Amino acid sequence: MDNLRELYQEVILDHNKNKRNYRKIENPDSFAHGVNPLCGDQIDVYLNLRDGVVEDVSFDGQGCAICTSSASMMTVALKGKTEADAHALFESFHHALTDDEVHPEDVPLGKLKVLTGVKEFPVRVKCATLAWHTFDAALKKVQDDISTE
Ligand code: ZN
């Protein structure tokens, strides 16, 4: 567990400092705005789809280190995935972080697994899931803003 904690901090710091895909996509196929009032995180997720595949995904906005690094890792994980696989990954990630019965090792999350370290800090779980909820809303072309509350 100590290794996971160390890795968790390392990865969060790295992605917070060197955000991947932190930019706006002009004229995206879809985008959504997400807020986490508990922490003050606010992000936009932009999405371009081509033949049912996530061709490009990016984010901008202001969030805490956990929100930002989760969003950054998310964009890396989702690029090139089919819509169905992208949605399935969102479900797995959400499930791993919010269901106490689930052991993170049992969920196929790849590199994202390190983010399950946030379960040790329950008030920050919404910071880690915000980008994903926002992405899923963009995927479903939900027009309303997304709030974790
Ligand atoms: Zn936050």
Side-chain angles (χ1 to χ4, degrees):
M1 202 60 205
D2 278 349
N3 282 342
L4 182 64
R5 188 179 295 133
E6 260 174 47
L7 185 62
Y8 167 74
Q9 286 170 354
E10 224 169 82
V11 170
I12 299 259
L13 288 175
D14 172 45
H15 276 268
N16 187 46
K17 209 163 113 188
N18 307 300
K19 303 175 192 67
R20 320 300 200 268
N21 303 300
Y22 185 75
R23 59 187 155 79
K24 183 176 180 171
I25 295 175
E26 298 298 336
N27 305 312
D29 290 332
S30 185
F31 75 97
H33 178 69
V35 294
N36 171 19
L38 275 186
C39 179
D41 307 314
Q42 294 215 34
I43 62 166
D44 290 299
V45 172
Y46 306 91
L47 179 60
N48 270 340
L49 297 165
R50 192 184 184 119
D51 302 327
V53 171
V54 177
E55 188 182 47
D56 197 9
V57 54
S58 71
F59 76 105
D60 67 5
Q62 294 298 324
C64 66
I66 292 173
C67 171
T68 303
S69 56
S70 180
S72 172
M73 290 184 78
M74 177 188 81
T75 59
V76 173
L78 291 176
K79 221 183 259 194
K81 288 227 175 339
T82 64
E83 284 185 58
D85 285 350
H87 179 72
L89 190 59
F90 159 72
E91 298 253 286
S92 298
F93 183 75
H94 191 252
H95 193 55
L97 259 69
T98 58
D99 189 338
D100 288 338
E101 305 290 307
V102 174
H103 195 274
E105 295 288 341
D106 297 335
V107 186
L109 287 173
K111 284 182 181 169
L112 299 169
K113 192 169 73 182
V114 68
L115 283 167
T116 60
V118 79
K119 278 181 108 168
E120 282 188 58
F121 316 97
V123 294
R124 312 306 297 278
V125 166
K126 283 174 179 169
C127 300
T129 56
L130 176 65
W132 291 79
H133 281 292
T134 310
F135 167 77
D136 202 52
L139 200 57
K140 292 178 186 152
K141 304 207 182 314
V142 174
Q143 299 296 320
D144 296 329
D145 289 354
I146 304 309
S147 175
T148 52
E149 295 306 298

